[in-house]
Amino acid sequence: GSFITLILPSITIGLNSMAVIARMTRSSMLEVLRQDYIRTAEAKGLAYYKIIFKHTLKNAMIPIITTIGIQFGYLMGGAVFVYPGVGRLIVDSILRRDYPTIQACLLLLTVMFVVINTLTDIAYRFFDPRIKENS
């Protein structure tokens, strides 16, 4: 198969996720911009880009990372059905009642979601130093 046939479905799926992430980013940034420490940074005379990137965006990242993780999981799940070989395998297995193949495909999707959620939790530590391991 040609990968050229994957361009439109990829754009369609990606635009939806991009809109969700953009909405969450805007909402989270507006919430953080209302905080007292942002007003204090403005009163100190810090440059606007420093306030936005160093203070606001850094503190708004936790919900954004969560949204990116969830959307990435949905993208990967949706991509399974965009690519004809894997998607067709799942659908044909369901129609043939081929339970071992169905279970293997569902296990693969489940493992994928668990790995994505684990990577999301690891990413939290890079953006928020207050989150530490329980050790």
Side-chain angles (χ1 to χ4, degrees), residues 37-58:
Y37 61 89
I38 299 298
R39 275 182 277 191
T40 303
E42 289 171 344
K44 283 180 170 180
L46 285 178
Y48 183 71
Y49 73 91
K50 281 188 179 179
I51 293 172
I52 294 297
F53 289 107
K54 282 198 165 196
H55 297 287
T56 310
L57 188 60
K58 185 176 179 183

Side-chain angles (χ1 to χ4, degrees), residues 21-37:
I21 293 167
R23 251 185 322 203
M24 178 54 72
T25 303
R26 180 183 184 279
S27 167
S28 188
M29 289 287 285
L30 288 174
E31 180 72 28
V32 173
L33 280 171
R34 291 189 209 117
Q35 301 297 321
D36 290 336
Y37 61 89

Side-chain angles (χ1 to χ4, degrees), residues 15-110:
L15 283 176
N16 183 36
S17 292
M18 190 174 72
V20 172
I21 293 167
R23 251 185 322 203
M24 178 54 72
T25 303
R26 180 183 184 279
S27 167
S28 188
M29 289 287 285
L30 288 174
E31 180 72 28
V32 173
L33 280 171
R34 291 189 209 117
Q35 301 297 321
D36 290 336
Y37 61 89
I38 299 298
R39 275 182 277 191
T40 303
E42 289 171 344
K44 283 180 170 180
L46 285 178
Y48 183 71
Y49 73 91
K50 281 188 179 179
I51 293 172
I52 294 297
F53 289 107
K54 282 198 165 196
H55 297 287
T56 310
L57 188 60
K58 185 176 179 183
N59 289 299
M61 282 305 289
I62 295 297
I64 297 168
I65 291 171
T66 303
T67 303
I68 290 171
I70 292 169
Q71 289 301 313
F72 189 71
Y74 286 132
L75 279 174
M76 292 299 103
V80 165
F81 292 101
V82 170
Y83 192 69
V86 179
R88 186 165 295 142
L89 171 67
I90 293 172
V91 172
D92 289 346
S93 298
I94 291 170
L95 294 175
R96 286 192 320 258
R97 298 178 191 233
D98 183 4
Y99 296 115
T101 306
I102 296 168
Q103 287 174 335
C105 292
L106 290 178
L107 180 65
L108 179 67
L109 289 172
T110 304

